[in-house]
Amino acid sequence: MGRASAGNTADSARLERILNAKQRLIGVDVEALNAQVEEKKQIKHVEQALQQHHAEASSCHLGMMTMNQLDAASLRKTWDREVQDFRATSQGKATTREWDLNRPDAKRQELPARLGDDDPRCGPASLQRFAGEDLTVGERTAAQREQCRAWWDEQTAAKVQQKQQEQEEKFELAATIRGLDSLQCSMMSDEAAARAELARQIAAGNAELRQLQAATRDAERQKELRAKLTELEAAKQDPWLNEDPQQAASAMSPARVRKDHWKGMSAAQRDAITQEQLGQVLARRAAAAQAAAEEAAAAAEQHSIHKAVMQQAQAAGDFRRKQAAAAAEVLRRQVEEKAARDAQVKETYSNKVSDSYYAQFGTSHR
């Protein structure tokens, strides 16, 4: 017994490893793994906070951009209206220097043959004075015609300007809506791609961590198994431990042994114990392999669920983009139909005044 104690205590590190059941069975630094898990959770929390911040910033920028576009459109309409008013009031043909040379009614501006009964140009022989004659009928008729023409031109210009303004507002609103829809679709696509990439990275990290843990456990198990098999083989080949147990047989009874000659169990008994221990080791390895397979199956199922959710989200995004494109197409067709209908109405109900209308002034139909 003294020699066995001395041989077993020679390798103190190996003896401590064998006697420490927790280290022999677990063999993994649980605190380090927990620290890694907590670190990944913190990284994920920071990424989520950054994504939320980016989403809020994008929404704020979108609102500011929309307000700036609306303000610019309003300023542009105001400027166009002022330019048109200035052209109508201050840049007419009558304000140019060459108006006297190119004036179509220059002859009408000349003095008539007589200005009145007391015109000094008309003498007694001119026969320009008659009783009951209305000398202002021409001027009055011309003034009436000019007044009617001015009213009609003013009304026509106001209607045309109003239609142009309405058409410009419709086009600007449609362009703003299309821009907003395009920006929203682009942001949703970028967000979906970022989420898919993040999920893929997390899944890859988890798979790598599982493989590392499985490899570590397998290495520890193989190391422990080799140590046990080495120890068992050494015990089998040790000459002192394999002494013949028949020396301890008692002459008084086959069931009794001599304590001063006891050398331990027989080889068959030791082999049976060894086989039983080996079966226990194999059973533990099979249970660990089954647990690893179940964990891998659960991870694969979770991955398939996440993939299905991402596919549904992508399909929903494609459907929204198709709806937006269809709405834009319908709006474009409506704008074209409205323009054609307005042109037809303008052509049909233009209510133009011809020269025959003006020619009937001062005439009689009786």
Side-chain angles (χ1 to χ4, degrees), residues 42-117:
Q42 292 178 0
I43 294 174
K44 184 176 181 181
H45 180 70
V46 171
E47 291 178 353
Q48 291 178 355
L50 289 175
Q51 291 180 359
Q52 182 67 23
H53 176 69
H54 292 166
E56 293 177 357
S58 299
S59 178
C60 181
H61 293 166
L62 179 61
M64 294 176 64
M65 185 173 62
T66 304
M67 293 300 296
N68 292 334
Q69 289 180 354
L70 294 178
D71 293 341
S74 178
L75 291 175
R76 191 161 51 250
K77 288 189 293 184
T78 303
W79 171 259
D80 294 339
R81 191 182 303 109
E82 291 178 355
V83 170
Q84 291 178 2
D85 294 341
F86 177 76
R87 288 175 178 174
T89 56
S90 302
Q91 292 183 347
K93 293 183 178 180
T95 59
T96 60
R97 294 179 299 177
E98 297 82 3
W99 176 246
D100 294 337
L101 301 176
N102 300 325
R103 191 167 185 174
D105 57 346
K107 291 295 183 181
R108 297 180 181 179
Q109 302 299 325
E110 295 179 357
L111 295 176
R114 57 190 292 270
L115 298 178
D117 296 339

Side-chain angles (χ1 to χ4, degrees), residues 31-45:
E31 295 181 357
L33 294 178
N34 292 334
Q36 293 178 2
V37 173
E38 292 296 330
E39 184 178 359
K40 287 183 178 296
K41 289 182 179 179
Q42 292 178 0
I43 294 174
K44 184 176 181 181
H45 180 70

Side-chain angles (χ1 to χ4, degrees), residues 13 26 70 76 98 106 112 177 186 231 247 271 343:
I26 298 177
L70 294 178
R76 191 161 51 250
E98 297 82 3
I177 292 175
S186 177
E231 184 178 1
Q247 295 179 2
D271 291 340

